[in-house]
Amino acid sequence: MSLLPQVRRTYASRGRTPLLRHRLNWKRVSMAGALGYHATDPERGPRLCFHLKPGSYDTAALIEVLEQRKVFYDGEQVILVRDGLSAHWSRAMRAWVAEQDWLTLEQLPAYAPELNPVELLWSSLKKREPANLAGDHLADVADATEQGIHRINDNPQLPWSFLTHTKLTPHPPTPPN
């Protein structure tokens, strides 16, 4: 998300075209996110994890985020399905993951955003709260993003719909007899 507004369709009085005034500023805040689905107890509901950071993520920052996820999931075994971002597959990341007994990594196929429920999460988030936002500070963008996170968290069906749309399931298949 950046200080450049995400221009979306809006309403205005007839004959009064809305104007979006902003400072041409490329400062941005990056987001790392995860949707957690409990395979053995779907009644627990999905868990959303977010991390906002000014600038871009590198391997060290993503490892820090995963350390926070380790605390968040409190000893549970986690299978993390990730996309092809280069920081996800760096030598340092692979070495760190090899030392973790709580974390198993799986990779999505290349160029398959339709299989990633987090892509649908980003789409839902970006199309609502920060739409047409011409903020002066990164804090404005972060606040709008947080409002979107709360909106998604408050609707227990929305994270499930992201998973349903991918046609993936958190439940392991039952072996045939």
Side-chain angles (χ1 to χ4, degrees):
M1 308 287 273
S2 75
L3 287 178
L4 291 177
Q6 304 259 340
V7 179
R8 298 285 184 248
R9 185 177 293 186
T10 188
Y11 296 96
S13 302
R14 182 174 288 210
R16 297 190 176 224
T17 303
L19 297 176
L20 226 120
R21 298 182 194 275
H22 63 90
R23 301 167 196 240
L24 189 58
N25 194 329
W26 291 95
K27 287 183 183 175
R28 65 182 200 184
V29 61
S30 295
M31 296 182 286
L35 285 167
Y37 301 96
H38 204 277
T40 59
D41 187 7
E43 297 300 316
R44 289 176 62 180
R47 299 175 87 180
L48 281 70
C49 305
F50 286 92
H51 187 267
L52 297 171
K53 173 188 180 330
S56 299
Y57 281 95
D58 59 6
T59 300
L62 286 174
I63 288 173
E64 180 183 319
V65 170
L66 287 173
E67 287 284 358
Q68 292 174 8
R69 296 301 155 255
K70 182 178 181 177
V71 172
F72 185 78
Y73 283 104
D74 192 31
E76 293 183 66
Q77 290 293 311
V78 172
I79 298 173
L80 179 63
V81 180
R82 58 190 176 169
D83 59 18
L85 180 67
S86 61
H88 291 169
W89 296 97
S90 70
R91 197 173 291 154
M93 178 64 82
R94 288 193 308 262
W96 181 83
V97 167
E99 298 172 359
Q100 308 304 310
D101 61 346
W102 63 278
L103 184 63
T104 303
L105 296 179
E106 297 291 337
Q107 183 176 4
L108 286 170
Y111 308 108
E114 68 278 2
L115 294 177
N116 189 346
V118 175
E119 292 295 338
L120 297 163
L121 169 76
W122 294 146
S123 178
S124 174
L125 185 64
K126 289 180 179 181
K127 288 180 181 174
R128 297 273 303 264
E129 285 74 18
N132 299 323
L133 175 68
D136 290 325
H137 306 286
L138 282 177
D140 299 334
V141 176
D143 289 345
T145 302
E146 251 184 76
Q147 289 174 3
I149 291 166
H150 289 298
R151 172 182 55 85
I152 293 167
N153 259 334
D154 291 344
N155 181 346
Q157 289 305 108
L158 199 51
W160 283 113
S161 72
F162 300 150
L163 184 66
T164 302
H165 186 78
T166 65
K167 297 185 177 46
L168 298 175
T169 176
H171 310 293
T174 308
N177 290 334

